[in-house]
Amino acid sequence: METIFGNLQGLKSSQLKQLQRLYHQRIPGDRITTPEFSQRLAAISTELNQPVCAYLNRRGQVIRVGVGTPRQTQIPPLELPRYGAERLSGIRCIATNLKPEPPNESALTAMALQRLDALVVMNITGTGFTRRGGGAAGYVKEAYLAHLTPQESRALMTSPAAFKLGENQIQTPSWNISPPLSLDMLAQQDFLDLVEGLEEEFQREFIAQEVDADHDRVLIVGVMTNELTPQRFQDTLLELASLVDTAGGDVLQTVQQKRSRIHPQTVVGEGKVQEVALTAQTLGVNLVVFDRDLSPSQVRNLESQIGIRVVDRTEVILDIFAQRAQSRAGKLQVELAQLEYMQPRLTGRGRTMSRLGGGIGTRGPGETKLETERRAIQQRISRLQKEVNQLQAHRSRLRQRRQHQEVPSIALVGYTNAGKSTLLNALTNAEVYTADQLFATLDPTTRRLVIPGVETGEPQEILITDTVGFIHELPASLMDAFRATLEEVTEADALLHLVDLSHPAWLSHIRSVREILAQMPVTPGPALVAFNKIDEADSETLALAREEFPLAVFISASERLGLETLRQRLTQLIQYAVDSP
């Protein structure tokens, strides 16, 4: 039995049979509809006193019948047979309307969300009338034909230069609506010519504006709740845009919503989900990134309504770690973190949402494990945990050996992209990879540094270790998986806390680093704050930092400014740390 969708309350069995018989109708392939099919649909709608929608494929077969408006009966994105910014879905909708008006925005939005080949809206008379010359009764007063049109501005915004948070302008789809048509005029339209012409235009535009095939086209969704200040919210979104850029995605746009609390099923409200889906369709987005952690059920709900892959902030960070890890230890920890994160999210991942691929959230050594049985994944996690524990013990032995040799050590900590690796290179001539990206380095690097002695002034050797960058609300799974790396912090005699003074949220970064350090199982040693990138900071920021942190050091690692002063202060720091009980 063919399924009828929508509002079926109060329908008689005879009326349901009339609707089911629509599935046996077939329209010529080159016609949008025929007068006979349109009148039959209108007659049923008149008897029900409700709008009715029939969805047809390009072979002219009825594939779905719904009682309600195009918005109420629209096909879920995951059930659409075709998908993509360069083509249409291969489905058209013939809809009746009880009011004498052109297609409203709700119906047109439903057309855009489904990327329908066309939308026909027929205004019905309500009672029927006898056509001129007598004969069969007619029910359609007038009809409108609507279809999408390509936009030159579809992919105008690319990351990061055109990422405009403040304006929050939503890209709207473009469509064309015909003047009122009779059914005979509508039936004379060459449907295949219309669709093929539109898809050629979409294809030309898509090719002209297509970004690198290896890059995800990303839409960011941010939710501002009561506990966030506007500035903190904007900083969070800007950081997420940087994370996406670092992971290899292109941020096309951001959508924001202010809510008192998070919606338990979809994070944002129903209307905003529709807006996200429409914006994603309009821009040709293939990935939606949320600014917070999502539960497995929220991901499933969002993907089913938006129709494309949805990931959260943690998954973006994990993807970056998967790209950055170089050593065996780093790869082990990344795989462990990925598996622990993905294990509860395996349920409901159908073939259409396969995690195997080359986009954000799909890379790394753990990707081949994500669609195996849960038990096999748990066994893999157990094995990885043992290896990480062995790694932790090995590193502990190395640290004990260094301590036995009585070589003082300093751990270089700070927010991601503060310039830690650049400073390590400048101080020790190390060749650690550096880039203006978040988490450019992942594996800890230890180098020897010569500083002047406190009392004698004779050269003294210390060890300085570059650690993984910290970030606001570091995911708990990463804290656990990277504990062997972070233990470099707790085992060091002292810390050098590097701060990017050119970043507008530098104060917030300091707080975030201190919060993470406070969660360490062993209290870290004394810390020296060093403000980096002073050549890029303005005078007001410099003055504020000097006032708030009078004992701090001010340097520029890239320009090698203040490094001699830093060496002298490190000497004092080590002396204080060693002498302290």
Side-chain angles (χ1 to χ4, degrees), residues 323-364:
Q323 296 178 59
R324 294 286 183 265
Q326 299 297 322
S327 69
R328 178 175 171 273
K331 290 176 180 178
L332 271 179
Q333 292 166 329
V334 167
E335 185 176 1
L336 178 60
Q338 283 185 319
L339 290 175
E340 288 180 339
Y341 174 79
M342 290 304 299
Q343 187 181 19
R345 291 165 169 77
L346 293 173
T347 308
R349 292 289 189 190
R351 286 174 297 174
T352 54
M353 287 294 165
S354 174
R355 307 308 266 186
L356 304 184
I360 293 173
T362 65
R363 283 173 284 238

Side-chain angles (χ1 to χ4, degrees), residues 482-494:
F482 284 80
R483 68 183 189 277
T485 301
L486 295 174
E487 276 186 2
E488 299 286 349
V489 172
T490 59
E491 296 293 337
D493 294 305

Side-chain angles (χ1 to χ4, degrees), residues 11 46 64 75 183 191 195 217 311 340 361 368 467 561 578:
L11 294 191
T46 300
R64 187 181 178 99
I75 304 172
L183 288 185
F191 174 61
V195 170
R217 296 164 62 86
V311 301
E340 288 180 339
T368 57
T467 62
L561 299 175
V578 172

Side-chain angles (χ1 to χ4, degrees), residues 537-554:
D538 56 51
S539 56
E540 290 182 6
T541 304
L542 272 167
L544 176 62
R546 290 184 193 279
E547 182 182 342
E548 293 285 334
F549 299 88
L551 300 179
V553 182
F554 292 80

